[in-house]
Structures are given as structure tokens and as C-alpha cells.
Amino acid sequence: MERGIRVLVAKAGLDGHDRGAKVVARALRDAGMEVIYTGVRQTPEMIAEAAVQEDVDAVGLSVLSGAHMHVFPEVLRQLTARGGGDILLTGGGTIGDEDMAELQALGVGRLFGPGASTREIVDYIRAETARRRAQSETR
Amino acid sequence: MNDDNDPAWPVELINLNCPNCRCLTSGEREIGLDTALDTLLGTFLSGDRRAAARLISVVENGGPRAEAVLHALYPRLGGAPRVGVTGPPGVGKSTLVDALVRHHRGQGRRVGVVAVDPTSPFTGGAVLGDRVRMSDLATDLGVFIRSMATRGSLGGLARTTKEVVDVLEAFGQEILLIETVGVGQTEMDIASAADTVVVVVSPESGDAIQAMKAGLMEVADLLVVNKADRPGTSQMVRALEADLAMRPAGGWRPPVLVTVASRGEGTDEVAAAVGRHREHLSASGALGERRHARARAEIVAILRDRLWQRVHERLADRLPDWVARVEAGHATPYTAARALLAAFLEDEA
Ligand SMILES: Nc1nc2c(ncn2[C@@H]2O[C@H](COP(=O)(O)OP(=O)(O)OP(=O)(O)O)[C@@H](O)[C@H]2O)c(=O)[nH]1
Ligand SMILES: [Mg+2]
């Protein structure tokens, strides 16, 4: 059965503004994806549990508060604890190159800085989802 | 799979290919559970939420695997209350659903929520935003929330909404809430999936109600004027009551309730009224009638799907020819359909 791509878009942290996350959500929708938008002030536990219940292919997480070194690994851990370690975790924020490399070493997907175009994000999620699906089929 | 400790679970139904059951065989094709699905079902039955989410996707994506899953889960359905919450965009449906879930959690019930939003007809994508108002429920293990896109279905419901609710009930959720946007004539759909339909409006909904009056009033078992902290509430209540007064007397009279869902005001009363409606359904025999009608509609829908699939398989080659004839004015669509049907019946005989 052909299956569309489902993505959970969330904003972690205490600042209430989510314009960036909404722009990304709309871009993903316009690319034909089903986007579950959960809003602001999401804890890693909420994000992981929602991602599992919604059976998403990817989580797109916006972290602007500088807490990315805590939030991304914690979401990854919570996903894995729920059997969702295969869900792609990607996202964005103001994240330095060093931190980015460290997060990716932990298993986080590509992360996008404030200057990234929505096109890049859409293309990445599409390609990475396809790659992971193909991989799980041959396993 | 070992499920000996679950007497409610007929063993033959979870075995591969279900040899005793005719519904699992369709023509040459065996519609059984493949090994992956069989394992997934086992994990689901042990209470695994990821497995439940995966099964919902299988069901949502349709086809023979969906059918095999639904068939296997059918014996686990026991008539848990299904409550539809519908109304114009932005009136506070999700906020009300959140409050209703809290109410039932307070009574220790496991709750399932299916929230349906429209798919964009242009891109096939959707933004499903109902979880925003239910964030705090995300980590309550007694609650399972699933967002669905309508995916080309014309009404407010997705084609498989009822089936997704079935999976949640089979998972052990004791009360099921279904949120849909009511736009125009499409509210009728929700009545086929829910035992009780709550129609939510806000004091500002005058125009929207005008546009959808007939459908709205017909399906409502309960009317809720939410955002009662805003001006115009009592006028809206009066208008709705005046409308209800024109209904023929006898049977259930939909009550009109007011809520401020964002502050949890009046929401316990909504839950209580839903309970009263359900008692009325049971006492009057209407619940039986609704479920009877639903069972019938389900069989007819499955039959229609199957028949169409079969007809399509047989006649796909011959269809273009007839299209060309109709286009050229050598036949009408009616003669074409008649000829194709005759050809199909002959092939089948
Ligand atoms: N003033 C007021 N605002 C409310 C009330 N209930 C909900 N809201 C607000 O109304 C807005 C929409 O609420 P939702 O619960 O998302 O409405 P909805 O009907 O589910 O919206 P859609 O699913 O998009 O159609 C939010 O900003 C809520 O906070 C209320 O009782 N009073
Ligand atoms: Mg909503």
C-alpha cells in the first residue's frame, strides 16, 4: 500500500513563539505530507509519546531557547524507550557546528539553521524517509 | 502467537489465513495476516502503544491488510460509547474534547480520541492541529489520541475513521471521542460513526449555522454554545432553542448547554448530558437501531468496495473502448454501463 509521509512538528522550550515551526508545517503540507502540529512548550516526553501515537515517519523539532543539547538527546531517548528509535528526528534552531556534529553522532538527523529554506527541509525529510523505508523493507 | 490466556480471543481468528472463515478469501486471493501483521497484532494485544499506532496506519491505508486486521479485531468490539464532536471551525471543539477526556479520566476510564481535519485538495497534504489543545493529555497513558486527514473523502470524516475508532476500542479504550469539522452538508457522516453527536457552536457562529442549518439540526443530539464568556451567548441559545422547538415532539429533545471550555466551565454537564442521551438510546431501543443501521451500512460499504474492485479488475480493459464510443456519440453512458454490466455477469457465470 502506498503510504504518505507523516511528520510531527513541535516547538520545545519555554518561549511561546512558533512562527518558524508553523512555516515549516505549512511547507510540509504543501509538499503533500500530513503534518501533526502540536504547538509550543512541548516537553520531550510529550513529543515522543505523540510521535508514537501518530505513527509518524519524522519529528521536526524547533528549539530556539539554546537548550538543544538537552532537548534533542532527550527526545531521542524517549522515542527509543517507546520503540520509536527508527523515527527520524530532525529540526532546527541556532545550533553551532560543533553541537550539530555531536547531536548527529548521537543519531539525530540533519539540523537546519535559521537561514535554511523550507525547500531544503522538505527535500531532506522526503529523501531520508524514503531511505529509511527502503532499509526497513530489506531488513 | 500464544494467546491462551485470553478467553475473549477466539484462537482461530488470529491464526494465519483463517481457513474456516469465508470472509478471508476473496476469489483467488487469500486475505490473511502475513507474518509481520501477525506479530504486530500480538504486540498490540499485549498493550503496546507503538503497535496500536502501527495497526491504525495499516487500517488507515486500506487494502487487504487493513481488512485482515479489522477482521481479527472485530470480536474485541463491545459497544463502548462513541461520541462525535462537530461544529464550525475554531469554535472550541478540541478544547471541549480535552475537557471531556479529563472528565472521563477522573472516573478512571481509558479514552480514545480520533481528531479529523481536512486534507488539502490541491496538495494532498494536511496540517492536523487538534493536539495543540490536548497537549497535557499526551503523557497520560490512559489516553490515546490519533489525528487523521480526510484524504479525499468528501465528508468531514475520513473514509476509515470508524475503523480507526474500532482499533482504539479493541486496544481497550473505554470511551471514544471523534472530532470533525462540520462544514455544510457533511455532518451527516459523523452520525454514522457515533452514538451521540455533540454539535458545538460559538456566539459568533450565526452565519455558519445559517449555512448548515438543516444538517446541523438533524444530527445534533446535544447542542453546546461554547465561548460563553463572549457576548451574544444568550441570543445564540435562544435562537437554537427556537429552532429545536419546531421539531416534532416526542423522542429525545436535544438540550442546549453553554460552556467555557477553555476554563472547564460547563463541561462536566456536557459529559452528563451525553450519558443521559446514551441511557435514552438504550432504554428506547434506539441504540440497537443505530447499531443495526451501522452494521448494515458497513456490510453494504464493504460489498460495494469488493464488487467495484472486482468489476474494475474484469472490465478495466474494455472501459476505454466504451468511453470512446460515448465521446463519439455512438452510445450513451447508459448503454455503455448496461453493456459492461452484461459482459461482467457473463464472465462471472
Ligand atoms: N474565549 C474563549 N475561547 C475559547 C474557549 N474555548 C476554546 N477557546 C479558544 O478558541 C480557539 C480555538 O479552539 P479549538 O479548541 O482549537 O477549536 P476547534 O473547534 O477545535 O478548531 P478547529 O479544529 O480548528 O476547527 C483557541 O484559541 C481556544 O483557546 C472558550 O470557552 N472561550
Ligand atoms: Mg480542533
Side-chain angles (χ1 to χ4, degrees):
Chain A
M1 218 44 45
E2 208 232 317
R3 192 151 101 66
I5 297 176
R6 283 169 70 88
V7 186
L8 184 115
V9 172
K11 169 83 171 50
L14 291 177
D15 56 317
H17 127 94
D18 62 345
R19 213 172 312 131
K22 279 186 171 157
V23 168
V24 170
R26 253 175 253 130
L28 296 172
R29 175 202 59 193
D30 292 345
M33 301 182 195
E34 288 180 1
V35 181
I36 294 92
Y37 182 70
T38 60
V40 296
R41 296 198 186 85
Q42 300 288 296
T43 66
E45 203 187 351
M46 288 173 172
I47 294 163
E49 184 59 39
V52 163
Q53 289 181 17
E54 298 288 354
D55 192 25
V56 294
D57 301 281
V59 173
L61 185 54
S62 157
V63 186
L64 293 176
S65 51
H68 51 267
M69 293 312 281
H70 163 71
V71 173
F72 280 102
E74 188 55 22
V75 171
L76 210 54
R77 206 180 63 77
Q78 297 271 3
L79 280 172
T80 309
R82 288 168 173 77
D86 55 330
I87 296 172
L88 166 65
L89 176 59
T90 172
T94 35
I95 304 170
D97 289 348
E98 235 170 78
D99 284 358
M100 236 180 232
E102 195 177 327
L103 289 173
Q104 278 168 359
L106 289 174
V108 176
R110 225 167 104 189
L111 297 172
F112 297 86
S117 73
T118 53
R119 176 87 258 157
E120 273 178 273
I121 301 172
V122 165
D123 288 347
Y124 170 69
I125 291 179
R126 194 178 273 140
E128 185 61 19
T129 300
R131 195 185 67 77
R132 288 181 187 222
R133 282 183 187 177
Q135 204 172 44
S136 76
E137 262 155 39
T138 55
R139 241 192 299 143
Chain B
M1 176 191 295
N2 183 359
D3 217 55
D4 294 340
N5 48 6
D6 186 352
W9 192 246
V11 169
E12 69 271 22
L13 285 184
I14 47 177
N15 283 346
L16 291 177
N17 295 331
C18 196
N20 301 326
C21 182
R22 277 159 187 266
C23 358
L24 278 188
T25 55
S26 144
E28 314 79 63
R29 263 179 315 141
E30 285 257 298
I31 306 178
L33 301 177
D34 53 62
T35 327
L37 261 193
D38 198 39
T39 312
L40 194 57
L41 259 178
T43 324
F44 170 85
L45 293 176
S46 74
D48 184 85
R49 305 159 73 73
R50 181 105 217 262
R54 286 246 153 112
L55 278 187
I56 289 174
S57 298
V58 170
V59 163
E60 201 182 359
N61 291 328
R65 299 183 91 225
E67 197 172 317
V69 168
L70 291 165
H71 175 75
L73 294 182
Y74 196 80
R76 300 185 75 85
L77 303 183
R82 298 179 178 210
V83 181
V85 176
T86 191
V91 293
K93 297 179 295 295
S94 300
T95 313
L96 179 65
V97 166
D98 178 79
L100 292 175
V101 173
R102 284 165 204 279
H103 173 90
H104 291 292
R105 291 301 294 145
Q107 323 237 314
R109 294 189 194 103
R110 292 177 59 167
V111 187
V113 176
V114 177
V116 188
D117 281 313
T119 293
S120 154
F122 304 108
T123 65
V127 174
L128 314 173
D130 297 309
R131 270 186 176 269
V132 172
R133 311 283 159 221
M134 310 180 196
S135 269
D136 293 341
L137 300 174
T139 53
D140 178 345
L141 296 185
V143 182
F144 197 114
I145 303 171
R146 182 65 172 233
S147 313
M148 280 186 94
T150 51
R151 295 194 185 173
S153 137
L154 289 177
L157 281 193
R159 207 170 51 79
T160 54
T161 302
K162 192 212 148 282
E163 284 81 358
V164 169
V165 176
D166 287 347
V167 177
L168 286 180
E169 184 179 349
F171 193 55
Q173 308 313 101
E174 295 157 299
I175 172 148
L176 291 314
L177 303 175
I178 307 160
E179 176 184 339
T180 65
V181 185
V183 277
Q185 300 303 307
T186 60
E187 304 80 11
M188 297 309 289
D189 276 7
I190 187 84
S192 67
D195 306 318
T196 300
V197 176
V198 180
V199 172
V200 188
V201 300
S202 75
E204 296 93 9
S205 299
D207 292 347
I209 295 173
Q210 222 49 48
M212 57 198 257
K213 199 168 225 162
L216 188 79
M217 285 299 173
E218 264 166 53
V219 298
D221 298 308
L222 240 80
L223 284 151
V224 173
V225 180
N226 185 45
K227 305 197 185 183
D229 52 329
R230 297 212 177 148
T233 304
S234 51
Q235 288 94 307
M236 180 54 78
V237 171
R238 274 199 301 277
L240 293 174
E241 276 171 346
D243 226 276
L244 288 170
M246 314 224 287
R247 274 200 186 186
W252 172 261
R253 277 208 101 69
V256 181
L257 301 164
V258 296
T259 55
V260 184
S262 51
R263 299 202 294 252
E265 291 173 24
T267 52
D268 285 348
E269 285 78 0
V270 174
V274 169
R276 276 197 302 282
H277 178 250
R278 193 170 169 80
E279 275 159 31
H280 160 82
L281 286 180
S282 312
S284 66
L287 186 61
E289 275 166 37
R290 281 195 191 201
R291 300 223 158 188
H292 177 91
R294 196 180 302 160
R296 188 173 187 285
E298 255 188 293
I299 298 173
V300 170
I302 296 168
L303 259 178
R304 195 190 295 134
D305 262 17
R306 286 277 186 84
L307 267 176
W308 170 243
Q309 216 176 321
R310 186 128 180 173
V311 168
H312 189 75
E313 273 164 24
R314 296 256 185 203
L315 299 180
D317 292 348
R318 277 177 261 184
L319 189 57
D321 186 36
W322 279 101
V323 173
R325 278 190 237 183
V326 171
E327 257 183 326
H330 300 319
T332 74
Y334 304 94
T335 45
R338 200 180 306 150
L340 285 165
L341 181 62
F344 173 74
L345 291 174
E346 198 167 301
D347 276 6
E348 289 286 294

